[in-house]
Amino acid sequence: IDSGLVGRINDSYKTPLQQQTWTLRSFPEGQRNCYNFKLTANRKYLIRGTFVYGNYDGLNQIPEFDLHIGPNKWTSVILDGVANASIYEMIHVLPQDRLQVCLVKTGKTSPFISSLELRPLNNKAYVTQSGSLMSFARIYFPETPSYLRYRKKFFIFQEQKFFIFQDKNSSFSTK
């Protein structure tokens, strides 16, 4: 992406957050700003956008905007406070070798993004008849923490739930 401005969240919000969310890219210019990727057609990908406002602009106005996959609306980004991270995930099969993830301005505030991740998945995982899958919830179930130690890093086991993305107000299609 060639547009946007690099910003940093306010230092007072950094402590509980992962370091990769301390910086962000905002888009005060233009109605629609897109990241363009050349990937593998007919491959399944996890697409994850993370958003932490952290009053990076000093305005203390939590932005509202939309995320699109190409021309189709994926979701509206709803931020739950200045310092809370909002994460949006989708499992999407690319019908072609290009992917466009866009931030679309819907009001007076500027869209921004803290991180955008693309992870190729095994095409046999999360099988659906058609369409993409949007994350519904990420829930931690065990009564006591369950950790897996791997090369001096700890991982918490989590259960991830996805549902088929079918919104009557959207024209999203993978065909």
Side-chain angles (χ1 to χ4, degrees), residues 44-106:
K44 196 173 286 186
Y45 288 88
L46 171 67
I47 306 167
R48 178 185 299 135
T50 303
F51 306 86
V52 177
Y53 171 58
N55 199 24
Y56 75 91
D57 56 6
L59 299 175
N60 212 26
Q61 288 185 322
I62 298 173
E64 295 179 4
F65 53 93
D66 289 343
L67 275 178
H68 286 221
I69 299 293
N72 303 304
K73 182 178 176 182
W74 168 6
T75 191
S76 293
V77 174
I78 309 292
L79 302 170
D80 187 23
V82 174
N84 295 331
S86 293
I87 300 171
Y88 294 88
E89 296 179 323
M90 171 187 277
I91 294 175
H92 182 62
V93 178
L94 294 184
Q96 53 192 356
D97 66 350
R98 301 197 184 280
L99 173 68
Q100 190 177 58
V101 179
C102 303
L103 292 90
V104 179
K105 190 172 188 172
T106 58

Side-chain angles (χ1 to χ4, degrees), residues 1-174:
I1 194 162
D2 296 329
S3 62
L5 303 172
V6 174
R8 297 183 73 75
I9 67 171
N10 187 296
D11 288 342
S12 62
Y13 300 115
K14 288 182 178 178
T15 305
L17 299 169
Q18 294 181 1
Q19 191 170 351
Q20 71 261 26
T21 63
W22 294 359
T23 58
L24 54 86
R25 180 169 292 274
S26 66
F27 302 95
E29 302 295 324
Q31 197 67 23
R32 178 182 175 91
N33 290 273
C34 300
Y35 289 89
N36 296 291
F37 302 95
K38 185 165 174 44
L39 301 169
T40 304
N42 300 311
R43 179 83 192 253
K44 196 173 286 186
Y45 288 88
L46 171 67
I47 306 167
R48 178 185 299 135
T50 303
F51 306 86
V52 177
Y53 171 58
N55 199 24
Y56 75 91
D57 56 6
L59 299 175
N60 212 26
Q61 288 185 322
I62 298 173
E64 295 179 4
F65 53 93
D66 289 343
L67 275 178
H68 286 221
I69 299 293
N72 303 304
K73 182 178 176 182
W74 168 6
T75 191
S76 293
V77 174
I78 309 292
L79 302 170
D80 187 23
V82 174
N84 295 331
S86 293
I87 300 171
Y88 294 88
E89 296 179 323
M90 171 187 277
I91 294 175
H92 182 62
V93 178
L94 294 184
Q96 53 192 356
D97 66 350
R98 301 197 184 280
L99 173 68
Q100 190 177 58
V101 179
C102 303
L103 292 90
V104 179
K105 190 172 188 172
T106 58
K108 295 182 180 184
T109 56
S110 298
F112 75 93
I113 190 162
S114 302
S115 69
L116 179 60
E117 300 172 65
L118 303 174
R119 299 190 184 267
L121 298 175
N122 182 325
N123 277 353
K124 294 179 182 178
Y126 300 103
V127 177
T128 64
Q129 296 291 356
S130 66
S132 296
L133 299 173
M134 261 181 37
S135 176
F136 174 70
R138 186 179 292 267
I139 303 167
Y140 182 59
F141 287 108
E143 289 181 26
T144 58
S146 299
Y147 294 99
L148 172 65
R149 187 173 177 93
Y150 178 74
R151 293 188 185 178
K152 299 183 181 180
K153 292 184 180 179
F154 290 95
F155 297 93
I156 299 173
F157 291 104
Q158 296 181 345
E159 178 71 20
Q160 182 76 28
K161 298 291 183 195
F162 285 89
F163 65 92
I164 296 174
F165 179 70
Q166 294 176 335
D167 183 356
K168 293 176 187 171
N169 299 324
S170 177
S171 59
F172 195 89
S173 172
T174 59

